[in-house]
């Protein structure tokens, strides 16, 4: 199956060597996208996170040990494995920009997409979201709150894309040719290390154009041919080796 | 007309057929499906116009600048502020959750008084006023006051109030700034150390967790960001020397593991190599320092710190090659640092010609206090709260009649926290000005709710670690809850009632005077601008050789294993606890349910004959905690890393009863020479539970 | 059995067969009346705006334009309804002697309370509607709409009304009777003539959030 072609392709280029795992992106994501806090977040299978920062280890004993952190949003795959399995077309990849949509009121909660996603980027609402009294006042008006029983995922802060387009229209600019920085996700914006760069990979004026073509850039499980729209950059060979399944003596990309 | 059965069935058939050509079934089906999409208990979106207000965080110890997004009059998001010198387009995991914390279940919303049976009852402000005035009036001459705000001018108000009450017992909660100030004083300097990290071409952090919790962490990260162009070789190498491969080490280009508490010895090892290859200084005590450093050969330092001699030599060579190197020393967890450690790091900077040069250490001017009889910043830094409590505990000093806390949580945040709480219990009357119902509030007779930084007018003056003197205001962006009162105005009013003259009646006037003293323009500050001064204080520092020598004679800690507390901002601070949204950032093998995991490397685990998930008891004479083991290879051998910020016994469901408080295991010692209370070097015993 | 046999044998079989179909038609008519007339009466409750507002007075007498209150903000979002503060720009004190104006000032302006206007086209939370994108420029590349025509293709045209229309609230869904459903959006969004000529597409995320 060929990936759909889009004029604009929103892409994240995450420099793993710059991420220190502080968690600011995860908190910013929850606040931006109206996720609910939980009392006990240690049972990770039941905890909703659109963005998770995983810890990577080179598995060497002290003192040769090295550590890296890998922020994992939805990969917005070019060939999304989740889309083809959805029985109700609650998720689709059909909008200019290539963001995989998820319309939660349409979702019937069958969770086929979760089984299909190779990146564990999809989350099921096991419980109704609840906020301590008064904290619901801090919800943003940009993202609808999802009830229990539906699947949700990172949307690259799609509402910010819509807002950026509207702003461009009002200012008389072309909403289909946004400037670099007009539209950035909440995690990219929050990161104090600048580890996440966001933009249109098809537009040479955007920083991600070069970054995605960097010799150190590769994608998660690239050989599944899901064609993700998230690029990871690391100058460390051991990190890149862990991003895909390599044979023991196989040459790592980059 | 009689209806027979057949007729009735025909009628029903007619109704059924007819209903199918009406909207009833189709509209009902549609509407029912819509009905299921809007459960009343699921909050709905509330729209409004967006506005953005620039301010500064009073909760995050990095004093990060932030832009608050309001929808209508509701703050909904904390965003980074590109124009703020302490944000530079980044935000901390703590500050980004601040809007949500406005509605934290742990917030105190009305004055509380502890009744006879120990329960807290809500009282009116009038009752609180009367009680406080009576108790403080009778405690005249025997009052102590503790502030947990390191950068605010409120400390002048509090210290002046304490002085007018006839006492010199005003203290700040311990942090990195006191040892740094004492080191500067011992080296014969004035002002405050400033670190010009942006202009440095080689950044070496010894102990100091510069990318997570040390100093102006978010500004440090902005410098790190610029020094590490995306996907390319770094333009400025960052090297981290410390016991744990934590967040700073993860970002640094090189990590050198040393035993916790040996930062000073490591710095002297570098000094030795620099002097050996020709570095010199005109400082009066250079020869004394040189002969002290001569004892710290790479081999000796390797033995003391656990780093390799070759690694130390390579590092010294790189420092020498750099044109604008910067060395930053501190404690991995932001407190308990010996003065000698800071001085030893500064000594390396002096040898590298780093004083008052771009990319080095600057001496920043500190404005004189504006409130009558307030302590100067230098005087505040002299005060050692932990030493004070220790003196009371040892019976060398009488417990005060009354103690006031301002946004401070010593009952959780001090070393040997339980012991400190016991000492605090000897104080007959305690009152706290606090936003959250913290562990200290649970010890107090009177709990007075104050607004959060987002709800009040407050200020930040040159936080420790900043590269230049600066001043900015926290402006109220959210409406203040009905029954909370800003502490500064309240204390100015209280002072009036008690007949203490502080020279000001209104907090805003204090801030205006402060702005003037800093040389800043009030109007522009109120517009959200930050005043930044390029001034430095000229000085020729000595090495403080005597102080360093004495400091390094400190005996090694008890126990077979070293303790390395790990401080991460996403866990909050002693005064915020874990913000509700930050629970999810706690890693899987840091906390499971209510059980804390402690980390050690494989060699240490084998030595202890434990494996991952085994239960162990980590203990010393100060206390003990039960924990499970996580095997993590990024830790010095014979060292156990414990995450800070857990084990709260107060606050809300997001913090309370999760894990253990590592502060229980930190034993206070006193640094030879400076007399400063230190706890960066704790030893523990570990046994299988 | 005997009864029925007797009954059918009395020679009146034709009218009885006709009478046999009558209940069916009675049922049909009852159902149609219930379904088309009574059901909407039961399903919707009538509501009135909390404050009497005359668009006519504001347009004709005060000479205001639609965009005086309903305008696009600089950031591209749409200020749908004015706030009490913006009404108070003129109505800080009564301009006339209409009792509703006086009540509005007493209840809202003086207290700072916002009016809970009933919005005829209020969309669910999961819908993102961009007023900026549905502009005259965009639609009139092919059409020849006046502003009134364009706006009133979704909204009731209230410009010349002295009294706001009755608001019918669906008791089940709590939405207004006039709230657009997805098919109404798709009349344009799924129309093949729009592709290539406008930026409209029928992708899910063009309208959903």
């Amino acid at each position: 199956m060929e990936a759909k072609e889009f004029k604009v392709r929103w892409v994240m280029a995450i420099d793993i060597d710059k991420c220190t795992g502080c968690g600011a992106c995860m908190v910013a994501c929850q606040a931006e996208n109206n996720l609910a806090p939980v009392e006990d977040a240690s049972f990770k299978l039941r905890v909703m996170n659109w963005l998770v920062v995983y810890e990577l280890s080179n598995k060497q004993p002290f003192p040769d040990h090295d550590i890296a952190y890998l922020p994992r949003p939805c990969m917005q795959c070019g060939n999304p494995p989740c889309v083809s399995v959805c029985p109700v077309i609650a998720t689709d990849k059909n909008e200019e920009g290539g963001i995989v949509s998820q319309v939660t009121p349409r979702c019937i909660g069958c969770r086929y997409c979760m089984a299909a996603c190779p990146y564990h980027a999809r989350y099921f609402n096991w419980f109704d979201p609840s906020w301590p009294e008064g904290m619901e006042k801090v919800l943003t008006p940009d993202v609808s709150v999802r009830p229990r029983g539906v699947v949700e995922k990172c949307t690259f802060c799609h509402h910010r894309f819509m807002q950026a387009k509207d702003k461009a229209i009002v200012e008389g600019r072309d909403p289909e040719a946004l400037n670099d920085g007009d539209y950035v996700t909440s995690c990219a914006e929050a990161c104090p290390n600048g580890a996440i760069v966001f933009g249109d990979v098809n537009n040479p004026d955007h920083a991600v154009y070069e970054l995605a073509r960097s010799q150190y850039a590769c994608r998660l499980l690239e050989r599944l041919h899901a064609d993700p729209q998230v690029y990871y950059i690391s100058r460390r060979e051991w990190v890149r080796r862990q991003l895909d399944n390599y044979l023991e003596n196989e040459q790592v990309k980059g | 007309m009689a209806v027979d059965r057949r007729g009735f069935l025909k009628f029903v058939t007619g109704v059924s057929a007819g209903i199918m050509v009406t909207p009833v079934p189709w509209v009902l089906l549609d509407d029912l499906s819509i009905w299921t999409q809007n459960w009343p208990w699921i909050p709905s979106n509330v729209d409004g116009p967006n506005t953005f207000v620039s301010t500064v965080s009073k909760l995050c110890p990095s004093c990060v600048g932030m832009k608050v997004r309001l929808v209508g009059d509701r703050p909904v998001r904390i965003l980074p502020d590109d124009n703020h010198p302490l944000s530079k387009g980044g935000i901390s995991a703590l500050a980004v959750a601040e809007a949500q914390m406005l509605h934290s279940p742990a917030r105190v919303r009305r004055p509380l008084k502890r009744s006879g049976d120990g329960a807290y009852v809500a009282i009116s402000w009038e009752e609180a006023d009367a009680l406080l005035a009576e108790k403080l009036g009778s405690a005249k001459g025997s009052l102590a006051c503790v502030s947990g705000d390191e950068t605010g001018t409120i400390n002048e108000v509090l210290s002046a109030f304490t002085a007018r009450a006839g006492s010199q017992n005003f203290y700040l909660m311990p942090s990195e700034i006191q040892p740094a100030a004492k080191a500067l004083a011992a080296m014969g300097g004035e002002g405050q150390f400033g670190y010009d990290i942006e202009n440095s071409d080689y950044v070496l952090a010894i102990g100091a967790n510069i990318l997570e919790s040390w100093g102006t962490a978010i500004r440090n990260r902005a410098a790190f960001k610029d020094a590490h162009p995306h996907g390319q070789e770094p333009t400025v190498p960052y090297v981290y020397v410390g016991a744990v491969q934590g967040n700073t080490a993860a970002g640094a280009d090189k990590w050198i593991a040393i035993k916790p508490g040996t930062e000073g010895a490591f710095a002297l090892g570098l000094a030795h190599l620099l002097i050996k290859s020709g570095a010199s200084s005109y400082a009066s005590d250079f020869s004394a320092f040189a002969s002290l450093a001569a004892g710290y050969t790479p081999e000796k330092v390797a033995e003391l710190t656990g780093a390799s001699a070759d690694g130390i030599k390579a590092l010294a060579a790189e420092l020498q090659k750099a044109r604008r190197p910067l060395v930053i020393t501190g404690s991995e967890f932001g407190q308990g640092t010996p003065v000698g450690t800071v001085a030893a790091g500064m000594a390396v900077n002096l040898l590298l010609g780093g004083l008052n040069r771009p990319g080095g250490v600057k001496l920043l001017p500190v404005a004189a206090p504006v409130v009558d009889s307030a302590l100067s910043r230098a005087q505040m830094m002299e005060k050692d709260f932990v030493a004070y409590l220790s003196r009371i505990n040892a019976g060398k000093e009488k417990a005060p009649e009354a103690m006031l806390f301002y946004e401070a949580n010593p009952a959780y945040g001090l070393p040997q926290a339980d012991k400190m709480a016991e000492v605090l219990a000897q104080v007959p009357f305690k009152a706290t000005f606090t936003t959250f119902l913290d562990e200290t509030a649970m010890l107090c007779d009177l709990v007075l709710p104050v607004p959060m930084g987002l709800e009040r007018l407050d200020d930040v003056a040159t936080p420790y670690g900043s590269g230049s003197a600066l001043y900015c205001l926290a402006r109220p962006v959210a409406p203040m809850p009905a029954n909370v009162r800003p502490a500064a105005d309240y204390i100015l009013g209280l002072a009036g009632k008690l007949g203490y003259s502080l020279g000001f009646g209104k907090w805003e006037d204090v801030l205006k005077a402060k702005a003037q003293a800093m040389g800043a323009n009030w109007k522009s500050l109120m517009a959200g601008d930050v005043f930044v001064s390029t001034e430095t204080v000229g000085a020729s520092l000595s090495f403080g050789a005597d102080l360093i020598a004495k400091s390094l004679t400190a005996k090694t800690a008890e126990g077979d294993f070293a303790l390395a507390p790990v401080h991460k901002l996403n866990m909050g601070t002693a005064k915020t606890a874990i913000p509700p949204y930050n629970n999810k950032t706690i890693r899987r093998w840091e906390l499971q349910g209510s059980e804390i995991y402690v980390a050690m490397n494989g060699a240490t685990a084998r030595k202890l004959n434990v494996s991952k998930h085994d239960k162990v008891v980590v203990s010393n004479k100060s206390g003990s905690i039960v924990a499970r083991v996580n095997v993590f290879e990024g830790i010095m051998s014979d060292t156990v890393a414990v995450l800070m910020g857990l084990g709260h016994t107060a606050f809300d469901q997001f913090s309370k009863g999760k894990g253990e408080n590592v502060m229980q295991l930190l034993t206070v010692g006193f640094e030879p020479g400076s007399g400063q209370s230190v706890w960066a070097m704790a030893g523990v015993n570990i046994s299988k539970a | 059995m005997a009864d029925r046999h007797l009954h059918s044998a009395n020679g009146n079989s034709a009218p009885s067969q006709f009478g046999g179909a009558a209940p069916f038609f009675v049922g049909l008519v009852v159902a149609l009346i219930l379904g088309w007339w009574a059901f909407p009466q039961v399903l919707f409750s009538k509501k009135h705006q909390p404050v009497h507002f005359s668009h006519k007075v504001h347009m004709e007498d005060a000479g205001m334009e639609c965009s005086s209150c309903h305008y696009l903000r600089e950031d591209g979002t749409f200020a749908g309804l004015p706030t009490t503060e913006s009404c108070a720009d003129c109505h800080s004190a009564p301009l006339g002697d209409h009792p509703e104006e006086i009540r509005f000032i007493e209840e809202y302006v003086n207290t700072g309370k916002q009016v809970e206007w009933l919005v005829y086209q209020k969309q669910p939370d999961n819908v993102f509607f961009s007023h900026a994108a549905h502009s005259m420029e965009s639609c009139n590349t092919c059409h020849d709409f006046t502003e009134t025509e364009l706006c009133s293709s979704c909204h009731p045209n209230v410009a010349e009304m002295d009294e706001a229309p009755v608001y019918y609230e669906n008791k089940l869904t709590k939405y207004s009777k006039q709230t657009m459903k997805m098919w109404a959006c798709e009349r344009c969004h799924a129309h093949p003539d729009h592709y290539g000529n406008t930026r409209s597409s029928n992708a899910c995320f063009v309208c959903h959030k």
Side-chain angles (χ1 to χ4, degrees):
Chain A
M1 196 177 77
E2 270 302 297
K4 275 183 191 146
E5 284 297 322
F6 296 107
K7 262 196 311 196
V8 175
R9 240 169 87 89
W10 297 112
V11 148
M12 249 179 220
I14 303 176
D15 189 335
I16 295 181
D17 297 349
K18 283 168 86 173
C19 177
T20 59
C22 74
C25 54
M26 283 176 70
V27 183
C29 171
Q30 292 175 63
E32 179 81 12
N33 292 297
N34 294 341
L35 276 92
V38 286
E39 259 175 61
D40 178 11
S42 62
F43 185 30
K44 299 295 180 190
L45 281 176
R46 289 275 163 97
V47 170
M48 317 266 310
N49 274 315
W50 288 9
L51 176 70
V52 177
V53 180
Y54 289 106
E55 187 182 298
L56 307 182
S57 158
N58 69 347
K59 302 195 173 79
Q60 297 297 309
F62 178 84
D64 302 317
H65 185 260
D66 197 7
I67 191 169
Y69 292 98
L70 177 123
R72 197 258 25 236
C74 167
M75 300 288 139
Q76 317 293 352
C77 304
N79 292 310
C82 52
V83 165
S84 52
V85 299
C86 181
V88 293
I89 326 180
T91 183
D92 205 347
K93 189 186 180 80
N94 52 359
E95 192 199 2
E96 190 58 64
I99 295 171
V100 175
S101 62
Q102 173 77 11
V103 181
T104 47
R106 194 169 177 127
C107 173
I108 55 169
C110 72
R111 291 178 275 148
Y112 283 169
C113 55
M114 291 174 69
C117 175
Y119 304 109
H120 297 281
R122 288 177 162 270
Y123 289 85
F124 183 66
N125 278 277
W126 288 98
F127 310 102
D128 270 324
S130 80
W131 283 264
E133 197 191 336
M135 208 181 281
E136 75 283 347
K137 291 197 187 82
V138 192
L139 295 178
T140 74
D142 309 323
V143 184
S144 57
V145 179
R146 290 78 51 191
R148 69 172 183 268
V150 299
V151 173
E152 59 186 57
K153 69 164 191 81
C154 156
T155 63
F156 271 5
C157 289
H158 182 266
H159 54 281
R160 288 182 170 220
F161 179 34
M162 304 308 268
Q163 287 160 356
K165 284 197 288 187
D166 280 1
K167 189 157 190 272
I169 292 171
V170 167
E171 289 171 1
R173 292 181 285 122
D174 181 2
E176 286 180 349
L178 295 173
N179 299 325
D180 203 4
D182 279 356
Y183 162 38
V184 285
T185 60
S186 178
C187 52
E189 176 190 63
C191 179
N193 293 3
I196 308 177
V197 175
F198 188 80
D200 173 11
V201 78
N202 291 345
N203 187 338
D205 296 337
H206 285 214
V208 289
Y209 182 87
E210 290 295 336
L211 295 174
R213 289 160 175 81
S214 149
Q215 59 163 322
Y216 300 124
C218 48
R219 293 177 287 174
L220 263 187
L221 302 176
E222 199 157 350
R223 290 184 286 192
L224 287 178
H225 296 294
D227 188 22
Q229 282 176 218
V230 176
Y231 289 79
Y232 290 98
I233 301 170
S234 179
R235 289 174 286 113
R236 289 175 280 185
E237 198 243 351
W238 73 263
V239 173
R240 294 197 303 276
R241 180 173 283 275
Q242 292 191 9
L243 300 185
D244 209 339
N245 295 307
Y246 287 99
L247 296 173
E248 207 172 307
N249 298 314
E250 193 182 354
Q251 175 75 33
V252 173
K253 201 189 154 206
Chain B
M1 188 181 97
V3 179
D4 62 3
R5 183 171 174 271
R6 180 167 293 195
F8 176 73
L9 288 177
K10 282 175 185 167
F11 176 78
V12 169
T13 312
V15 169
S16 308
I19 231 63
M20 288 307 181
V21 292
T22 70
V24 175
W26 322 110
V27 167
L28 271 184
L29 206 59
D30 192 17
D31 285 357
L32 277 172
S33 75
I34 295 172
W35 174 67
T36 65
Q37 292 172 11
N38 291 298
W39 301 124
W41 58 88
I42 304 289
S44 52
N45 292 164
V46 181
D47 213 350
N50 290 302
T51 40
F52 298 88
V53 184
S54 290
T55 182
V56 63
S57 174
K58 286 301 288 179
L59 283 187
C60 180
S62 73
C63 297
V64 63
M66 54 193 192
K67 208 165 63 180
V68 183
R69 176 186 169 199
L70 295 118
V71 173
D73 58 358
R74 303 179 294 130
V76 298
R77 284 299 320 278
I78 305 295
L79 304 169
D81 187 346
D82 294 350
N83 300 318
H84 199 292
L86 298 179
S87 174
K88 292 186 175 172
I91 192 85
S92 69
L94 173 56
V96 74
E98 235 173 86
Q100 281 70 28
M101 291 166 80
L102 288 170
H103 304 282
S104 164
R107 270 200 82 167
V108 192
R109 301 195 171 270
R110 54 188 61 79
L112 301 174
K113 187 184 134 182
R114 191 161 57 180
S115 59
D117 60 357
Y120 284 86
V121 287
I123 56 169
S124 70
W125 273 100
E126 288 69 33
E127 287 172 79
D129 287 352
L131 182 65
L132 199 60
E134 178 212 320
K135 294 286 187 184
L136 295 188
S138 68
K140 191 159 175 159
S142 182
L143 171 73
C145 180
V146 190
S147 166
D149 180 353
E150 198 174 286
T151 54
T153 304
I154 191 160
N155 291 336
E156 292 183 16
V157 175
L158 291 168
S159 68
F161 182 88
T162 314
R164 288 286 192 231
S167 160
Q168 289 304 308
N169 287 323
F170 172 78
Y171 298 96
L172 290 179
M173 283 292 282
S175 72
E176 298 267 22
I177 191 167
Q178 290 109 336
K182 283 188 180 167
L184 180 57
M187 295 168 89
E190 269 178 28
Q192 181 179 319
F193 284 127
Y195 300 83
D196 191 15
I197 194 166
E198 288 92 346
N199 296 311
S200 174
D201 69 349
Y202 192 94
V203 179
L204 169 64
I206 308 175
N209 222 336
I210 52 170
L211 298 186
E212 185 59 35
S213 56
W214 179 91
T216 49
I218 303 306
R219 164 186 158 259
N220 304 343
R221 284 164 173 275
F224 170 81
K225 168 165 78 180
D226 292 342
H228 291 72
H230 219 74
Q232 294 168 36
E233 294 295 322
T235 55
V236 176
Y238 278 58
V239 178
Y240 181 66
V241 179
V244 183
Q245 197 170 39
N247 290 0
T248 301
D253 304 288
K254 191 197 256 179
W255 170 54
I256 297 172
I258 60 167
K259 291 176 192 159
T262 60
E263 292 86 1
F266 190 89
L268 275 195
L270 293 174
H272 165 81
L273 290 168
L274 291 174
I275 294 169
K276 214 170 122 189
S277 49
S280 181
S281 162
Y282 295 112
S284 54
D285 62 347
F286 174 66
S287 58
F289 179 76
S291 60
L292 170 66
Y296 287 82
T297 59
E299 292 69 28
K300 168 91 182 294
V301 174
E303 189 196 316
L304 286 171
T305 64
S308 78
D310 288 342
I312 300 164
K313 283 180 198 160
L315 196 58
E318 282 173 35
L319 276 176
Q320 255 174 330
K321 249 195 295 172
R323 292 173 56 212
R324 299 184 306 277
L326 173 64
V327 179
I328 304 173
T329 35
S331 138
E332 275 194 287
F333 56 105
Q335 47 174 274
T337 321
V339 177
T341 302
V342 183
M346 280 305 146
V348 180
N349 279 313
L350 291 182
L351 291 172
L352 292 166
L355 183 65
N356 281 342
R357 75 138 151 75
V361 176
K362 292 179 183 173
L363 295 184
L364 310 177
V366 173
V370 294
V371 181
D372 294 346
S373 64
L375 296 183
S376 73
R377 202 157 166 79
Q379 287 168 322
M380 283 181 202
M381 295 307 148
E382 281 297 310
K383 299 285 204 172
D384 185 337
F385 184 48
V386 171
Y388 175 60
L389 290 184
S390 302
R391 284 200 302 276
I392 295 174
N393 186 44
K396 288 180 191 157
E397 189 159 343
K398 217 169 121 277
E401 288 293 311
M403 207 181 254
L404 279 184
F405 304 98
Y406 171 71
E407 298 214 321
N409 187 8
Y412 174 86
L414 289 184
Q416 293 172 275
D418 282 352
K419 190 80 204 159
M420 296 296 171
E422 274 172 38
V423 179
L424 293 177
Q426 296 177 24
V427 181
F429 176 79
K430 295 176 289 293
T432 180
F433 293 92
T434 186
T435 311
F436 304 106
L437 198 64
D438 56 20
E439 284 81 359
T440 301
M442 300 310 283
L443 290 179
C444 284
D445 304 282
L446 191 59
V447 183
L448 299 165
V450 296
M452 257 178 66
L454 287 175
E455 296 160 340
R456 68 180 191 232
L457 187 65
D458 211 333
D459 66 342
V460 167
T462 325
Y464 177 59
S466 170
S468 44
L470 59 81
Y471 188 69
C472 55
L473 294 179
R475 297 175 298 152
V477 291
M480 214 187 298
N483 274 313
V484 309
R485 303 242 170 117
D489 272 316
Y490 186 80
I491 287 170
L492 288 171
L494 187 66
K497 270 180 229 164
L498 293 169
Y500 305 161
S501 160
L502 302 185
F504 288 93
K506 264 174 65 196
W507 172 229
E508 194 175 325
D509 295 336
V510 178
L511 292 179
K512 278 182 183 160
K514 184 71 182 183
Q516 200 178 10
M518 294 289 296
N521 176 291
W522 177 257
K523 270 195 185 144
S524 121
L525 290 173
M526 280 302 275
D529 295 336
V530 181
F531 167 77
V532 181
S533 160
T534 50
E535 264 179 72
T536 54
V537 184
S540 54
L541 296 185
S542 71
F543 281 87
D546 186 39
L547 179 110
I548 299 173
K550 281 182 183 154
S551 171
L552 287 168
T553 61
K555 60 177 179 358
T556 45
E558 56 151 346
D560 300 332
F561 298 91
L563 179 69
V566 176
H567 183 195
K568 298 203 278 188
L569 281 182
N570 61 308
M571 302 298 292
T573 62
K575 59 183 183 186
T576 67
I578 310 167
Y581 278 19
N582 293 33
N583 257 349
K584 296 181 190 176
T585 63
I586 303 175
R587 309 207 75 83
R588 192 172 183 193
W589 304 126
E590 286 173 347
L591 181 77
Q592 273 297 307
S594 60
E595 286 185 313
I596 188 174
Y597 273 70
V598 296
M600 59 184 74
N601 70 26
T604 312
R606 278 193 296 281
K607 199 167 171 183
L608 282 162
N609 196 21
V610 294
S611 46
K612 192 168 174 171
H613 308 304
D614 279 356
K615 234 179 200 174
V616 290
V617 179
V618 184
S619 62
N620 59 18
K621 69 171 196 271
S622 300
S624 84
I625 64 171
V626 179
R628 287 189 187 269
V629 171
N630 180 25
V631 177
F632 174 62
E633 295 294 346
I635 297 174
M636 188 71 199
S637 290
D638 296 334
T639 302
V640 60
V642 187
L643 184 62
M644 287 171 80
L646 293 168
H648 281 282
T649 54
F651 290 95
D652 52 26
Q653 67 269 33
F654 300 104
S655 304
K656 198 174 174 177
K658 290 178 191 293
E660 303 274 356
N661 183 4
V662 65
M663 301 305 289
Q664 307 287 9
L665 296 175
L666 294 173
T667 313
V668 177
F670 292 92
E671 185 184 13
S674 74
Q676 169 83 10
S677 61
V678 291
W679 54 93
M681 214 176 174
V684 287
N685 293 306
I686 304 172
S687 59
K688 249 181 165 166
Chain C
M1 279 300 258
D3 259 10
R4 192 187 282 189
H5 182 74
L6 273 177
H7 187 72
S8 109
N10 69 2
N12 271 346
S13 68
S16 138
Q17 267 166 14
F18 181 75
F24 175 82
F25 285 107
V26 171
L28 193 72
V29 169
V30 166
L32 290 177
I33 292 170
L34 273 177
W36 287 100
W37 180 80
F39 173 65
Q41 304 279 329
V42 178
L43 186 63
F44 294 101
S45 59
K46 280 189 195 178
K47 281 192 169 177
H48 296 275
Q49 297 289 356
V51 173
H52 173 86
F53 181 86
S54 165
H55 275 91
K56 195 176 171 190
V57 168
H58 286 84
M59 300 278 291
E60 288 178 10
D61 302 356
M64 292 169 76
E65 290 176 8
C66 304
S67 58
S68 307
C69 295
H70 316 296
Y71 55 89
L72 277 168
R73 301 192 192 101
E74 274 176 26
D75 63 357
T77 57
F78 189 69
L81 294 167
T83 58
T84 299
E85 292 75 48
S86 49
C87 296
D89 285 347
C90 298
H91 296 278
S92 56
L95 299 173
D97 54 4
H98 198 290
E100 274 294 282
E101 191 201 358
I102 293 162
R103 187 174 72 86
F104 170 71
I105 289 168
E106 279 172 1
E107 276 185 29
Y108 295 95
V109 177
N110 294 347
T111 62
K113 199 173 103 180
Q114 298 299 326
V115 185
E116 298 199 355
W117 296 110
L118 302 165
V119 182
Y120 302 101
Q121 254 75 38
K122 190 170 170 66
Q123 286 291 332
D125 278 357
N126 60 72
V127 173
F128 176 89
F129 182 85
S130 160
H131 279 92
H134 296 83
S135 64
M136 294 281 282
E137 291 85 346
S138 176
C139 298
N140 278 359
T141 45
C142 298
H143 296 281
D144 193 17
F145 290 138
T146 63
E147 197 171 49
T148 311
E149 282 169 344
L150 184 65
C151 297
S152 60
S153 53
C154 303
H155 296 282
N157 184 6
V158 292
E160 282 160 29
M161 289 186 187
D162 208 23
E163 199 146 343
V166 178
Y167 177 93
Y168 293 95
E169 188 189 74
N170 187 313
K171 285 179 189 162
L172 271 178
T173 65
K174 305 293 174 202
Y175 288 110
S176 151
K177 193 178 182 178
Q178 285 125 315
T179 292
M180 291 166 75
K181 297 268 174 72
M182 199 164 129
W183 61 264
C185 307
E186 285 189 312
R187 276 187 313 193
C188 295
H189 275 268
H191 200 297
D193 287 353
H194 284 105
Y195 297 143
N197 294 322
T198 69
R199 288 186 298 268
S200 106
S201 102
N202 207 25
C204 311
F205 257 15
V206 167
C207 307
H208 284 287
K209 61 172 181 153

